[in-house]
Amino acid sequence: MSAPSVLSASLAPGRHEPLGATVRDGGVNFSVFSAHATRVEVCLYDEAGTNELARHALHGPVDGVWTGFLPGARAGQRYGLRAHGPHAPREGHRFNAAKLLLDPYAREIVGEFRNLPEDHGYPFGHPDGPAALDERDNGATALKARVAAPLAGPGPRASAPRHAPQDVVLYEVHVKGFSMRHPEIPQALRGSYAALAHPVSIAHFKRLGVTTLSLLPVQFAVDEPHLLGTGLRNYWGYNTLGFFAPDPRLASAAVRHDPTAVVAEFRAMVQTLHEAGLEVVLDVVYNHTPEGNEWGPTLSLRGLDQKSYYRLQADDPSRMENLTACGNTVNVEHPRVAQLVLDSLRFWVGEMGVDGFRFDLAPVLGRTAAGHDPQAAFYTALRQDPLLSQVHLIAEPWDAGPDGYQLGRFPGRFMEWNDKFRDGARGFWLGHGPDGKAVTRGEFARRFGASSDVFHPTGPCGDPGQRSPLASINFLAVHDGYTLNDLVSYGRKHNEANGEDNRDGRDGELCGNFGVEGPTDDLAIRDARERARRGMLATLLLSQGTPMLYSGDEFGNGQGGNNNAYCQDNEIGWLDWPNADDALIAFTAELSRLRRAHPLLRHAEWFAVQGCSPETGSAGSTGSPQRTSALRWFHPDGHEMREHDWNDDRQFALSALLSDPHERLLLIVNPGATPTRIALPAAGEGTSPWRLLIDSSGELAPATLSDHALTAPARSLLLCIAAPLFS
């Protein structure tokens, strides 16, 4: 049907579901939620997206939903929304029909956000500030949605691998940063979805033994206003505006300007990774939007129905509640807002094929007027949904609001980023914790054991009977903070390149330079750093819980001490493949292989801890005594750890005996700067003598141990095995 007939067609009442723009029955169905609007219009634009061709009023509302069916319209049509209603900031309303709004359900987005004055609902410089009304029309320059054609085929979900929970090894990675400097990936593909699924990339993932890629945000994002014009951009992507659209900036150059082709490239990436046995988890940002606080632009949700979509301050609804430190907070407690989030998640699983989600600032999603509620309706909906209940659900268990630290308090279905493991493991090998004091053996044992003080059913924060050791996602470094290489090379942050006078980023992040700030030719310092780094990697991959490796840490990638490289879309933020340490990659791969080979290192249930527990300081068990797998802790002198041994801040070496009917493993840890003699417990009747499998320091080669003791090298972690003589 020709364009003129579409433009002159009258809009019939449409279907309420699904929300968004849907091609059907020879036309397009539009459905939009706004509980407080008095009129909602869909505006059609030309191919360039600059000229408004027609404006149609939607029918409704019915239960807050406005609908319309436009016969003759088809995929590819550019459109935006205008919402009429009260401009009453003191009541929480900021309707302004002069502002073209992006459909929250847009699956294809065209245009560029430039933060022009007319993108704001108030005139810059007006004495009334955000309470004033700017009636300039921004339709010519605003972002537009483009009607998407139905996706063809069964999609990549059909080929998704299903790794057993205890086998999962996560790998946090930025789509662009992974490949931009990779010499073996074609230049035309570098930095793209296609590059992440290139055979060279897959070969690296398989060599490392990771099972699940955790991608930094890939949903359509825009840059913060303060970055525009600086030459910097929001590289990490934690500023999502389009919850149903993959970001075109992460697509290969050949397809970047065609939203349909971007979707196809993303789906092909997931399909290829699935065929290689790799899962794909997305980092998603449903806690805030780029519309910021009351001074921010009017792009989508604010203009459609601010009072429904955002949390407003109870004593002053003209101001946004800021539980995210990003200016606003999405009101997921509202049923229709929860629906938006759930519909988006279903789209990424059902249509795009992904295998789970890591929820940024996850407590926001369970916030009620009384604070964070582990039984919030949103969490219940996730766990009951036929599709979403099958995928990984990972919480970043803190936000910026009151009582925002919720580690261990999410429903049992969730895994959680465990910063206690991060700080405990770092501090043990660096020789000091966040408070400057020594990290004790008791603290190390807790973190090695999957933080049973946090996640165990009988722990003070546990969800009785529902938490597994695998709920603890253990990590040493992630995108936000130092890389592993930098945390052993710097004693303070170096964020000068961010243009904020080094004020941004986390102050006091746990790190240590071993005597010299930054790179050094001092061989003793370099050796100490290398031993500490390898000891941490061994701790990460041999501990109980679910390990997560930060991309680049396996080969010594650094960022020059920048612990907040969110805006560094350059060689600071990209992985430094030209200087990759292949020996460190091989070491990391061997640790991963050992984890796969020995079920005792990836236990899905809590061990029966015999003897003195680091949690209680007394004889007891953090697991069922009927279980056949056990964990025992030993002092270097050979006796089982006693109450006073756990908190002794003069000695730090210890060993752990893990056993079941099939094998016995001995983990020996010496984080100190000098070698330490360690008495070996008896290998056990009917077993072979202890055999050393790996020494993180590299001093000792794998061999059978003939004595009842050994000298653990300085800053080393050793793993030994005693296997049954007869199976």
Side-chain angles (χ1 to χ4, degrees), residues 409-427:
R409 295 183 174 92
F410 278 75
R413 179 67 177 79
F414 279 80
M415 295 185 285
E416 302 178 36
W417 276 24
N418 184 0
D419 63 321
K420 289 185 180 293
F421 179 93
R422 175 198 65 198
D423 290 347
R426 285 189 188 185

Side-chain angles (χ1 to χ4, degrees), residues 612-613 617-618 633 635 639-647:
C612 186
S613 162
S618 59
W633 293 97
H635 189 276
H639 64 260
E640 291 200 45
M641 291 289 286
R642 301 164 183 160
E643 183 174 353
H644 66 273
D645 294 329
W646 288 116
N647 296 313

Side-chain angles (χ1 to χ4, degrees), residues 45 49-50 100 110-114 116 118-119 137-144:
Y45 279 78
T50 56
L100 191 75
V110 293
E112 179 183 0
F113 172 63
R114 292 180 285 168
L116 301 172
E118 55 266 32
D119 291 328
D137 194 303
N138 73 333
T141 57
L143 291 167
K144 313 291 187 310

Side-chain angles (χ1 to χ4, degrees), residues 447-522:
R447 304 310 152 218
F448 171 84
S451 295
S452 54
D453 59 324
V454 176
F455 293 102
H456 191 271
T458 60
C461 303
D463 188 359
Q466 298 187 27
R467 305 316 298 268
S468 156
L470 304 172
S472 175
I473 292 186
N474 303 330
F475 63 94
L476 301 168
V478 291
H479 67 276
D480 186 4
Y482 295 114
T483 67
L484 177 58
N485 180 72
D486 284 359
L487 73 88
V488 299
S489 303
Y490 295 90
R492 61 186 184 276
K493 66 182 183 180
H494 294 270
N495 299 353
E496 291 82 3
N498 296 354
E500 300 179 40
D501 297 322
N502 207 32
R503 294 189 303 269
D504 64 304
R506 180 182 170 194
D507 291 315
E509 182 180 354
L510 190 53
C511 61
N513 62 22
F514 290 89
V516 173
E517 190 73 356
T520 180
D521 293 328
D522 188 308

Side-chain angles (χ1 to χ4, degrees), residues 441 635-637 651-654 668-679 709-716 718:
R441 289 179 287 197
H635 189 276
D637 292 344
Q651 292 190 352
F652 300 97
L654 79 168
I668 299 170
V669 187
N670 176 26
T674 58
T676 299
R677 182 173 175 80
I678 305 289
L710 61 72
T711 299
R715 297 189 174 97
S716 67
L718 286 64

Side-chain angles (χ1 to χ4, degrees), residues 27-254:
V28 174
N29 188 87
F30 295 95
S31 179
V32 180
F33 166 72
S34 178
H36 297 101
T38 57
R39 177 184 174 93
V40 178
E41 298 164 330
V42 59
C43 303
L44 308 183
Y45 279 78
D46 62 5
E47 287 286 323
T50 56
N51 296 312
E52 184 176 323
L53 304 176
R55 189 179 298 196
H56 299 283
L58 297 177
H59 296 265
V62 176
D63 196 20
V65 177
W66 303 75
T67 68
F69 178 73
L70 185 61
R74 56 191 178 187
Q77 175 65 60
R78 289 158 173 77
Y79 73 97
L81 304 170
R82 296 184 189 271
H84 300 253
H87 180 76
R90 292 184 179 180
E91 299 173 16
H93 299 304
R94 295 185 184 273
F95 288 99
N96 187 340
K99 309 305 173 185
L100 191 75
L101 308 173
L102 183 69
D103 184 353
Y105 279 76
R107 298 193 178 193
E108 296 183 358
I109 301 172
V110 293
E112 179 183 0
F113 172 63
R114 292 180 285 168
N115 194 46
L116 301 172
E118 55 266 32
D119 291 328
H120 294 69
Y122 62 94
F124 281 5
H126 194 283
D128 292 336
L133 180 65
D134 183 353
E135 299 185 276
R136 286 177 295 178
D137 194 303
N138 73 333
T141 57
L143 291 167
K144 313 291 187 310
R146 194 172 81 164
V147 177
L151 295 175
R157 187 66 193 155
S159 61
R162 295 293 296 268
H163 294 293
Q166 63 267 31
D167 296 337
V168 170
V169 178
L170 291 156
Y171 185 78
E172 193 194 32
V173 60
H174 189 286
V175 169
K176 183 174 184 179
F178 179 81
S179 60
M180 278 300 291
R181 303 184 67 194
H182 202 303
E184 298 179 54
I185 293 178
Q187 184 72 41
L189 294 182
R190 291 182 191 174
S192 69
Y193 302 120
L196 199 67
H198 189 275
V200 168
S201 303
I202 290 175
H204 181 71
F205 303 144
K206 300 296 284 186
R207 179 187 182 188
L208 281 182
V210 300
T211 65
T212 307
L213 306 186
S214 182
L215 309 187
L216 268 68
V218 301
Q219 295 171 326
F220 187 97
V222 300
D223 295 330
E224 289 87 349
H226 75 270
L227 294 177
L228 298 175
T230 66
L232 303 174
R233 54 158 294 201
N234 189 321
Y235 167 63
W236 288 347
Y238 288 91
N239 209 31
T240 304
L241 183 63
F243 299 109
F244 293 80
D247 199 317
R249 295 183 293 186
L250 300 177
S252 54

